Amino acid sequence: MVNAADAREVWQKCLSIIKKEITVQTYRTWFEPISPVSLSGNELMVLVPSKFHYEWIESHFVSILRKSITQTLGASSILKYQIAREEDDPEVFIPEDRIQDPVSVQGNRQPAGNGVKLSYGTNPKPLNDDLVPNNLNDKYTFDTFIKGDSNQLARAAAFAVSENPGSNSFNPLFIYGGVGLGKTHLIQAIGNRVAKSGKVRNILYVSSERFTVDFVNSIQHNRVSEFSTFYRNVDLLIVDDVQFFSGKEKTQEEFFHIFNTLHQSGKQIVLTSDRPPKDMKFFEERLLSRFQWGLAADIQAPDLETRIAILNHKAAQQEFVLDSEVIEFIAVNVTNNVRQLEGCLVKLMAQASLTGASINLGMARDALRDIIKPSKINLSIESIQRIVSEYFGISHDLLIDGTRKQEIVRARQIAMYLAKEFTQSSLKTIGNHFGRRDHTTVIHSCESVKNQAETNDKYKKTLDDIRRKIEMSM
Ligand code: ADP
Ligand code: MG
């Protein structure tokens, strides 16, 4: 029997299953707008706002929909869609690619009810388990984004946008910078914060590639008007990596019109690119000028302190305890990509869990050989001597000759110790570089440095400072 109340109940059960597997944002965007229509036997009919909406959920959420409906109504259950009538598109919509599919024919072309164009069964073709490829990832928040000089403006602007989407002077907010510097993180943080605040309803994060593919598909299937209606209904549109629109004239044109509509109606637009608008090639001038209507803010590679803070933060997030020496080693050597900093941590965590041992500097160096090139680590003894003598303001000759003056001895011992730490040289070779001293002298020096570093904080700090200078020089 057809029954609306039962339909509601069944759909609620489905939703509670779906809800568990997707983010709140995705749920709100794609599932809240769907309403149950009727239940007839094991056939549930739901109403979706548009063809585009239907296609989106069919291509992105088919497996989870299937799971929810079979868990609720049994294995042979059927989910049918009705598509709400859109004023500007009175034609009956017959998706030929789907009705030719032998299984989904079931339920097709049934006479549609009021305000309804068509209904058809779920597409049983290959499951797409990648549930939310273009949506917000809730791990990207402002809380987890480390501030630094390198991202200060971009972050502040992003935060301001998230406070008042649409009604601020940063529209569009255009964030640019190199790979792995946190652009995606930052713009998703905007989306997540706005979603949480409930200030606007329709939030969409989309990569420019996805936008392009969907647009091309909509041309092929004669659904361009639907595509643009869909985007024109978004309140906060976040498009990542717009540099990929380069040379794609039709896509640029479509985006230009969507941009204008949204901008005119006070909707917020956020964009990222790997370069500033002025350096973007094969773009229509009018689009580039729009990109600069609001604020273009760059993200630079983080400085050393920020890199250390990011590493500390990420390690703490994973409850991974790492020696500050190791953190510094990574931070000093991986300088222009935050994703790579994370990669180092992941590697060390794997290493630690394999060996069950905590990671010391030597182990880190070994484990990260393919990221932090050993050639960089293979310093010469001479260059270490140079850095140490510069640090103490003494001449190179004085460092290696026979002087027994206490402060020279201290510098010499530290130089030997660091030569042992940073080079693959034998004790004998090191001794040879320090005025042909015996290898036992080198051993003695290393022991002495180690002991003093362990018992004297000031001494340790000196040693760390020099070590950092050496690492910086690599
Ligand atoms: P982009 O989009 O610029 O290529 P992403 O946003 O994907 O870079 O950032 C790469 C990785 O580095 C992500 O895991 C992100 O969380 C992290 N990341 C980048 N910048 C920061 C930062 N300032 N604080 C914390 N994590 C960051
Ligand atoms: Mg990115």
Side-chain angles (χ1 to χ4, degrees):
M1 268 320 299
V2 175
N3 186 326
D6 288 351
R8 256 198 307 281
E9 194 179 313
V10 167
W11 182 237
Q12 275 311 320
K13 282 188 187 155
C14 291
L15 286 181
S16 62
I17 294 167
I18 292 166
K19 219 174 193 169
K20 284 191 203 127
E21 308 213 6
I22 57 178
T23 64
V24 175
Q25 182 51 37
T26 306
Y27 178 81
R28 279 210 198 143
T29 310
W30 299 108
F31 290 94
E32 269 185 5
I34 302 176
S35 42
V37 176
S38 63
L39 180 69
S40 173
N42 61 357
E43 278 182 17
L44 175 68
M45 170 95 79
V46 294
L47 183 69
V48 294
S50 67
K51 276 180 279 180
F52 192 81
H53 199 109
Y54 158 76
E55 285 173 358
W56 190 285
I57 57 177
E58 271 287 88
S59 57
H60 295 104
F61 307 111
V62 66
S63 62
I64 182 172
L65 272 167
R66 174 109 41 80
K67 178 176 152 190
S68 72
I69 186 94
T70 48
Q71 275 187 17
T72 310
L73 284 178
S76 58
S77 53
I78 297 164
L79 180 64
K80 289 183 180 175
Y81 298 95
Q82 292 179 347
I83 293 166
R85 190 183 291 276
E86 278 164 26
E87 287 156 31
D88 60 345
D89 182 10
E91 286 163 54
V92 170
F93 165 52
I94 301 178
E96 295 187 17
D97 49 337
R98 303 215 190 257
I99 53 181
Q100 278 158 8
D101 179 324
V103 188
S104 64
V105 163
Q106 194 178 22
N108 256 334
R109 298 178 197 258
Q110 295 211 342
N114 232 358
V116 160
K117 287 179 190 161
L118 189 75
S119 60
Y120 33 91
T122 47
N123 180 0
K125 284 220 220 57
L127 303 182
N128 179 356
D129 282 324
D130 191 6
L131 285 180
V132 283
N134 294 318
N135 243 300
L136 295 168
N137 179 337
D138 52 19
K139 81 172 192 189
Y140 293 130
T141 63
F142 285 106
D143 290 344
T144 56
F145 189 83
I146 305 295
K147 288 187 236 178
D149 288 348
S150 54
N151 58 39
Q152 196 263 337
L153 175 65
R155 191 210 165 269
F159 197 82
V161 163
S162 74
E163 286 279 284
N164 289 308
S167 43
N168 59 72
S169 46
F170 308 144
N171 201 10
L173 174 61
F174 187 101
I175 293 178
Y176 64 92
V179 178
L181 295 183
K183 300 183 298 296
T184 299
H185 186 139
L186 205 49
I187 59 173
Q188 292 227 9
I190 298 174
N192 280 316
R193 186 154 184 272
V194 173
K196 209 166 162 197
S197 74
K199 281 197 174 117
V200 301
R201 188 177 167 81
N202 294 326
I203 301 168
L204 186 69
Y205 166 85
V206 68
S207 66
S208 63
E209 292 107 315
R210 183 79 229 180
F211 182 95
T212 306
V213 167
D214 284 348
F215 175 60
V216 171
N217 279 338
S218 81
I219 295 176
Q220 278 165 3
H221 296 100
N222 253 331
R223 287 171 207 159
V224 176
S225 84
E226 201 157 326
F227 175 88
S228 67
T229 304
F230 174 80
Y231 275 93
R232 285 179 166 114
N233 281 325
V234 174
D235 303 307
L236 166 56
L237 178 62
I238 304 172
V239 186
D240 209 351
D241 291 318
V242 292
Q243 72 271 13
F244 292 123
F245 285 154
S246 167
K248 302 193 177 92
E249 285 169 28
K250 281 210 138 169
T251 307
Q252 284 182 29
E253 191 182 332
E254 180 64 29
F255 187 69
F256 175 78
H257 293 304
I258 290 170
F259 184 104
N260 286 343
T261 308
L262 293 182
H263 199 272
Q264 275 157 21
S265 44
K267 303 297 169 64
Q268 179 73 47
I269 301 156
V270 176
L271 309 167
T272 72
S273 167
D274 67 349
R275 68 201 72 182
K278 70 175 175 46
D279 294 342
M280 293 173 75
K281 299 264 155 55
F282 308 113
F283 270 80
E284 274 193 69
E285 211 34 63
R286 58 179 189 170
L287 191 55
L288 288 185
S289 91
R290 298 260 177 321
F291 286 172
Q292 299 173 81
W293 270 2
L295 175 76
D298 68 334
I299 301 191
Q300 305 257 339
D303 55 26
L304 180 67
E305 275 66 34
T306 310
R307 298 201 295 277
I308 291 175
I310 291 173
L311 284 166
N312 279 326
H313 175 84
K314 306 257 168 194
Q317 256 184 341
Q318 311 282 335
E319 296 180 18
F320 181 46
V321 182
L322 253 192
D323 216 70
S324 62
E325 200 173 57
V326 176
I327 296 265
E328 263 185 48
F329 168 69
I330 302 171
V332 161
N333 285 290
V334 177
T335 53
N336 47 19
N337 186 328
V338 179
R339 192 175 292 123
Q340 210 170 44
L341 283 178
E342 288 180 334
C344 292
L345 272 189
V346 169
K347 251 195 143 154
L348 294 188
M349 277 194 282
Q351 173 90 357
S353 70
L354 275 180
T355 58
S358 63
I359 302 283
N360 61 32
L361 192 57
M363 289 159 82
R365 224 174 239 141
D366 272 352
L368 301 177
R369 239 158 233 282
D370 51 342
I371 303 174
I372 300 169
K373 295 270 175 288
S375 61
K376 284 177 83 182
I377 293 165
N378 261 339
L379 277 183
S380 68
I381 297 175
E382 286 80 6
S383 49
I384 290 170
Q385 288 173 334
R386 184 181 44 75
I387 290 166
V388 173
S389 50
E390 266 169 24
Y391 184 88
F392 289 106
I394 56 181
S395 74
H396 185 258
D397 288 350
L398 214 51
L399 187 74
I400 58 175
D401 86 358
T403 313
R404 301 205 59 87
K405 240 175 102 182
Q406 204 199 339
E407 55 187 271
I408 309 270
V409 172
R410 181 179 68 162
R412 186 183 302 133
Q413 287 185 336
I414 286 179
M416 287 186 191
Y417 177 86
L418 292 174
K420 184 75 199 120
E421 179 176 317
F422 279 101
T423 72
Q424 318 285 331
S425 312
S426 67
L427 294 167
K428 185 159 181 278
T429 309
I430 295 173
N432 281 340
H433 278 79
F434 286 83
R436 307 211 156 271
R437 285 182 168 77
D438 191 69
H439 80 278
T440 53
T441 312
V442 182
I443 293 176
H444 171 77
S445 296
C446 291
E447 286 296 303
S448 164
V449 172
K450 193 160 164 276
N451 288 337
Q452 293 184 73
E454 275 165 11
T455 53
N456 180 339
D457 282 349
K458 198 156 163 252
Y459 187 94
K460 178 167 190 310
K461 190 174 171 307
T462 304
L463 186 64
D464 286 344
D465 282 350
I466 303 171
R467 187 183 276 128
R468 194 186 292 188
K469 284 204 180 332
I470 294 173
E471 283 170 339
M472 298 276 215
S473 79
M474 296 193 292

